[in-house]
Amino acid sequence: DLGHNWLRVTLRGKPPNTSAIGARVELQAAESRQLRVVNPSRSYLSQVELPVTFGLGDYQGPLLITVSWPGGEQSRHEVPPGQQRLAISQP
């Protein structure tokens, strides 16, 4: 552990896509933005994990998460800074 902050987000979608495959997760930390897409495959015979992880370095301010769910819905979530795991369910 290097003491850097991070955020790990697990999405819970509605059936039949309970893993929220295809969802876009955008993190805004001050002027910085990061984007991740929930996508379980990378190439032939390989797979990546479904939670998405954001590295925040030594950033200590508030975070805003915007999730664009499969099907077009969006949800926004304010998150305190720090090293944490977060689960978000589709509205």
Side-chain angles (χ1 to χ4, degrees):
D1 181 13
L2 299 173
H4 294 162
N5 291 322
W6 48 268
L7 176 65
R8 188 167 173 84
V9 179
T10 301
L11 298 180
R12 297 183 180 129
K14 293 179 181 177
N17 187 4
T18 56
S19 295
I21 304 299
R24 296 169 54 94
V25 183
E26 182 179 338
L27 172 108
Q28 183 173 348
E31 301 300 318
S32 173
R33 290 184 181 200
Q34 297 181 48
L35 175 67
R36 304 285 185 271
V37 177
V38 178
N39 186 354
S41 60
R42 197 170 272 164
S43 65
Y44 180 70
L45 292 180
S46 70
Q47 182 172 351
V48 296
E49 57 187 1
L50 293 176
V52 294
T53 303
F54 297 93
L56 302 171
D58 58 3
Y59 180 74
Q60 296 290 327
L63 306 170
L64 177 64
I65 298 284
T66 302
V67 181
S68 298
W69 297 93
E73 294 176 285
Q74 275 197 342
S75 61
R76 293 180 182 257
H77 312 271
E78 292 184 26
V79 181
Q83 300 175 347
Q84 61 182 308
R85 289 177 171 81
L86 178 66
I88 300 175
S89 295
Q90 188 173 3

